[in-house]
Amino acid sequence: MTYTLKITNNSSSTVNLQRYFSRVVTPGGSIIPGNPVTADATKKKIAAKNSMSITYYVNIGQTKSLSGVKIAMYVWDTKSKGYLKHTGSFAIPAAYTTTAGLGKSINTKMNDIPVSASADSLQLYKYGGKVYAKVGISITNKGSKVLGDTGYSAYLVTASGTSFELALSSSQTGYKIQPQEKRTIFYLTEIPAYLNTANMKLQFTQKDETLKLELAKSSFKLPAATTPDLVVASGAVKKMVVNSNTVDTKLTGAAVYAEDDKAVWSFHLQLKNTGNKAVTMPAYELSVKSAKGTAFPVNAKGLSGLTLKPLETKVVPLTAEIPLQVEQSSLQLQMIEAVTTSAGTDAGGSGSGAGEAAVDTSAKLVFPVAYFTIPYTLRADVRSGQEYGITNQYGTFSYSLQSLQRYPWKDDDIVLAKVRITNNQSVNLTIPDLKGALKLDTDNLAATTDLLMDKEAAVLAPGQYTDISLLTKIPYTDEFNNVRVNLSVKSETESIPFLDFSTTSFISSVNQLKRGDSYVITGKGKNAAVQENKTTVYEGSNFNILYTEVLMSSAEKRQSKMARLQAYFKTADGQFYEAKVNQSDNLATPGGKQLITLWAKLPKTVATTEVSAYLGSGVTGSKLSESGEQPTGFINVASLPLTPKAVVPAANLQNIVLYPYTLNVLSSDGRHVEASDTVNLNITYNLTRENSYDAGESEHKLVLRITDPFGQSQDKVLAIGTELLEGNNHTYSLSFTKNLYKQITGGSYRLTVYDEFQGERQELGSQLFTMRFEPLPKPADDDKETEK
């Protein structure tokens, strides 16, 4: 028992309190000396005209009622028996109770701060075959300082005196009550299922560490116990109090799809702080509960420690996997509060007296907070081109499947899904660093899926969008019906979902361009247009070479690195042939053009009349390919119909084009001296270079064939730059020697120019020239001279 005496010194001098004593007199006649608690033990004197309050304690044994108890006062007197003089008594009224009545407030002090306190509620919860009690007390801070956790021990006490230690709710750990603020503080404990909960009270005690005693503080009679309904209807808001701030909690976006032998659930927990102070969410335990009571874990790492500013809303993504044999239409998301309490909780009912030493038995209270009804909604397949809305922890946006394509890559096929994200908020949407995964039917290709997105488009203004491409490779013989697209945030420790959907949309064909159209490339620093310049076929004895030249025109306003073009030829019978690409490594000037060559070897039996080029931008891993990098795929593919044309040889050697050069043979002087075995040629020519285009190193060879008057030919590969020089009126000289040439007495010879590519030739033009015969001088006629 504790009691507090207010002592006033009305004299004009200091009074020594060691001369004054108090005793507690029980109804049975026992007289028990009172001793000051440790906090007041140093109060020895009272100055003149001053007052002082001192709290004393006594052990009153098994006395459970204060009825009939008196506090007797004594003063030191050497003349009195026992040296103590009885000066009077304070009789505790018969109707006095230490417990505040139901609905009544008491004015007291906590941590030396004046407060007004009253009992608020007693609620009972059942979870896991156990019963838990939640006790609320309303406290108003009447002082001028902030009131924090008092450090008091709290007990739930039955009418028969059995007590159960209470633990502070985790949602209010470290609470602070501002001056003049009123808050409700909640405590939790486990109680036996059979316990009579009528006429229970809340008892506070404070431990005197020096005395090793728990000393009684205030107590409150509790209202009748109630059992709240924790079930939250689908789409309804659950109001939760965290540190006296109301947090509106709502389950949204629930969807499920089947995968192997399990149902994969995804949903979002939306939380809004409706209060005027920041609040940090406790570490709630979440699980999905079936109708039969089986609980399945939920991945909800984003909830623990989540901080909400005043009026701020955040969304926490949740995922769970439930076996398919479990009934999926009656599931609940249960939110559990786990509170660790050390010592003293006696769930068995034997009780723990407030003054008794507690046994340190750390226990964990698992306490239900809410059961959110999970609506059974089969996740609908996403249809290509349609827009769908979503809200997650990163914001509110819409998404659409722009295309789902399949096209060749070497001996595999590329499967590409292009997803568009549009910001539907009134503020910027920041897209985190993402990774992607494609799953085709049951084949999870996360390890081989590359994701491409413009990193500079990660922050979207309201109404803006960005496109994200996910591509993977499969054997070209594989077939599939269902595609699952998964976007998650890159993290070394966990998988943080961003967007996940499935589709059974048909594979959309690549963009089909019309003959003569431009293939347009878009992207920061990559904008360009590609047009067919020339397509032809080099006829070979064993195979043909399909050859195409395209012009890539930069649409940039600065020097830039153009996209690295990749291509496949598709024939009329649906066969694909990988094209080898020759492209300049130089930067493209604003408005500049690059000549890019594409070629592939085709069997002689393949028709090339109806052929198209599948063009795309090369990628290496998760980025666009740069010069010198080996592409691992290509994106933004379009089909451009080609127009193969046979080369018609010119009837002369004027304006012979072998890009980027144009050759004009001005004249050819062929001479043969009588009886000689050598023919000498002097070819006068102009050679000009087209400098408006940039091209890679040429793979073409210029071959000159000389057909002599006997119809025999000799070929000469002319090296441009060393044998043939750029400019006008250059002369190229060469000679041929054969014993047969001794018989030449005139006639003509033919010069033919060929374009040789990968060992196969096309005739560009030929021209016939006259061979000049130079006879030897005749010897003098000596006989006729003599006659003269």
Side-chain angles (χ1 to χ4, degrees), residues 673-730:
V673 178
E674 183 181 1
S676 172
D677 61 356
T678 299
V679 172
N680 296 304
L681 296 181
N682 291 303
I683 302 173
T684 303
Y685 65 91
N686 293 341
L687 184 65
T688 59
R689 178 186 176 96
E690 173 63 71
N691 292 314
S692 61
Y693 300 156
D694 184 21
E697 185 176 349
S698 176
E699 298 175 290
H700 295 264
K701 295 178 182 178
L702 183 64
V703 179
L704 176 64
R705 172 171 292 174
I706 302 97
T707 305
D708 61 28
F710 298 104
Q712 297 183 357
S713 299
Q714 299 185 58
D715 291 350
K716 174 69 174 177
V717 177
L718 301 180
I720 297 177
T722 55
E723 293 178 303
L724 291 186
L725 303 176
E726 288 185 54
N728 296 326
N729 294 310
H730 288 294

Side-chain angles (χ1 to χ4, degrees), residues 48-246:
K49 308 301 182 181
N50 275 349
S51 296
M52 182 180 291
S53 294
I54 300 177
T55 298
Y56 298 86
Y57 73 94
V58 294
N59 187 340
I60 57 175
Q62 297 300 315
T63 303
K64 294 183 178 181
S65 173
L66 295 181
S67 178
V69 173
K70 296 180 181 180
I71 299 174
M73 301 301 300
Y74 297 86
V75 65
W76 178 264
D77 186 355
T78 57
K79 297 179 181 180
S80 299
K81 183 180 179 180
Y83 303 104
L84 291 177
K85 180 181 178 180
H86 181 257
T87 59
S89 298
F90 298 104
I92 297 177
Y96 180 81
T97 175
T98 58
T99 302
L102 190 62
K104 302 293 184 182
S105 297
I106 62 170
N107 294 317
T108 183
K109 285 189 176 182
M110 293 182 174
N111 292 353
D112 288 329
I113 296 176
V115 301
S116 174
S118 63
D120 180 79
S121 59
L122 172 62
Q123 296 176 325
L124 302 181
Y125 300 82
K126 293 182 180 180
Y127 176 75
K130 296 181 179 181
V131 178
Y132 297 92
K134 182 177 183 180
V135 179
I137 179 173
S138 177
I139 301 175
T140 302
N141 183 352
K142 297 289 189 179
S144 58
K145 297 180 181 179
V146 176
L147 175 65
D149 189 349
T150 61
Y152 293 171
S153 295
Y155 293 89
L156 178 63
V157 184
T158 67
S160 62
T162 302
S163 61
F164 301 86
E165 185 178 7
L166 292 161
L168 186 66
S169 170
S170 60
S171 64
Q172 295 179 311
T173 301
Y175 70 84
K176 295 184 182 301
I177 304 177
Q178 301 296 324
Q180 311 310 312
E181 182 184 13
K182 180 179 180 180
R183 291 179 62 174
T184 300
I185 308 300
F186 292 99
Y187 294 87
L188 311 171
T189 191
E190 179 186 344
I191 62 174
Y194 56 79
L195 189 69
N196 184 355
T197 59
N199 298 316
M200 301 189 87
K201 71 176 181 178
L202 169 64
Q203 172 73 61
F204 286 106
T205 68
Q206 186 174 33
K207 189 168 186 179
D208 190 316
E209 296 292 344
T210 302
L211 299 175
K212 305 298 182 185
L213 291 174
E214 278 193 89
L215 303 176
K217 303 297 286 184
S218 53
S219 63
F220 305 85
K221 185 176 181 181
L222 295 171
T226 60
T227 302
D229 183 6
L230 298 180
V231 177
V232 183
S234 176
V237 173
K238 167 71 175 179
K239 292 187 177 294
M240 298 165 49
V241 177
V242 181
N243 285 343
S244 293
N245 275 17
T246 299

Side-chain angles (χ1 to χ4, degrees), residues 523-582:
K524 189 167 185 179
K526 307 291 184 184
N527 292 297
V530 178
Q531 273 194 316
E532 179 188 13
N533 183 59
K534 167 187 173 183
T535 297
T536 188
V537 177
Y538 291 82
E539 300 282 350
S541 57
N542 298 316
F543 53 81
N544 294 334
I545 294 177
L546 180 60
Y547 173 89
T548 295
E549 292 176 354
V550 295
L551 289 174
M552 179 184 286
S553 304
S554 173
E556 296 293 330
K557 297 181 179 179
R558 296 286 188 275
Q559 279 192 332
S560 58
K561 297 178 181 179
M562 290 288 93
R564 307 302 295 178
L565 205 63
Q566 297 295 303
Y568 277 78
F569 291 119
K570 182 181 180 182
T571 58
D573 59 356
Q575 301 299 315
F576 286 92
Y577 298 88
E578 181 182 1
K580 290 182 171 56
V581 181
N582 184 2

Side-chain angles (χ1 to χ4, degrees), residues 378-624:
L378 283 173
R379 186 172 65 179
D381 280 342
V382 167
R383 294 182 178 274
S384 181
Q386 291 191 10
E387 201 168 70
Y388 302 84
I390 188 174
T391 297
N392 62 19
Q393 68 270 44
Y394 298 97
T396 298
F397 57 90
S398 62
Y399 66 94
S400 60
L401 178 64
Q402 292 293 295
S403 61
L404 182 64
Q405 295 178 332
R406 179 174 183 170
Y407 47 85
W409 179 256
K410 301 189 182 301
D411 56 352
D412 289 327
D413 271 359
I414 286 176
V415 176
L416 180 140
K418 181 183 285 188
V419 181
R420 176 165 293 177
I421 304 292
T422 303
N423 180 11
N424 290 343
Q425 304 177 140
S426 58
V427 296
N428 287 352
L429 172 69
T430 299
I431 298 178
D433 194 10
L434 298 174
K435 60 182 179 180
L438 291 177
K439 184 174 183 180
L440 310 181
D441 290 340
T442 60
D443 192 6
N444 191 339
L445 302 173
T448 59
T449 299
D450 292 319
L451 181 146
L452 290 97
M453 187 184 94
D454 185 357
K455 299 295 184 184
E456 297 187 16
V459 179
L460 300 178
Q464 284 188 335
Y465 68 85
T466 188
D467 288 336
I468 300 173
S469 294
L470 294 89
L471 71 158
T472 191
K473 302 181 189 72
I474 61 173
Y476 80 92
T477 55
D478 281 5
E479 299 294 335
F480 56 89
N481 296 312
N482 181 272
V483 178
R484 178 183 171 191
V485 178
N486 177 268
L487 298 175
S488 59
V489 181
K490 287 183 178 179
S491 172
E492 295 180 356
T493 58
E494 60 179 313
S495 178
I496 305 173
F498 180 80
L499 177 63
D500 187 284
F501 63 86
S502 295
T503 182
T504 54
S505 294
F506 292 111
I507 297 293
S508 53
S509 62
V510 299
N511 187 21
Q512 302 292 318
L513 302 176
K514 294 180 180 179
R515 197 178 306 276
D517 282 355
S518 294
Y519 165 61
V520 177
I521 299 173
T522 58
K524 189 167 185 179
K526 307 291 184 184
N527 292 297
V530 178
Q531 273 194 316
E532 179 188 13
N533 183 59
K534 167 187 173 183
T535 297
T536 188
V537 177
Y538 291 82
E539 300 282 350
S541 57
N542 298 316
F543 53 81
N544 294 334
I545 294 177
L546 180 60
Y547 173 89
T548 295
E549 292 176 354
V550 295
L551 289 174
M552 179 184 286
S553 304
S554 173
E556 296 293 330
K557 297 181 179 179
R558 296 286 188 275
Q559 279 192 332
S560 58
K561 297 178 181 179
M562 290 288 93
R564 307 302 295 178
L565 205 63
Q566 297 295 303
Y568 277 78
F569 291 119
K570 182 181 180 182
T571 58
D573 59 356
Q575 301 299 315
F576 286 92
Y577 298 88
E578 181 182 1
K580 290 182 171 56
V581 181
N582 184 2
Q583 183 176 357
S584 172
D585 293 332
N586 298 330
L587 294 176
T589 58
K593 295 183 178 182
Q594 287 185 346
L595 184 92
I596 303 171
T597 61
L598 321 169
W599 65 274
K601 292 182 178 180
L602 276 62
K604 294 283 291 181
T605 56
V606 174
T608 57
T609 52
E610 294 293 331
V611 66
S612 60
Y614 272 41
L615 302 174
S617 300
V619 297
T620 302
S622 292
K623 65 181 186 66
L624 292 173

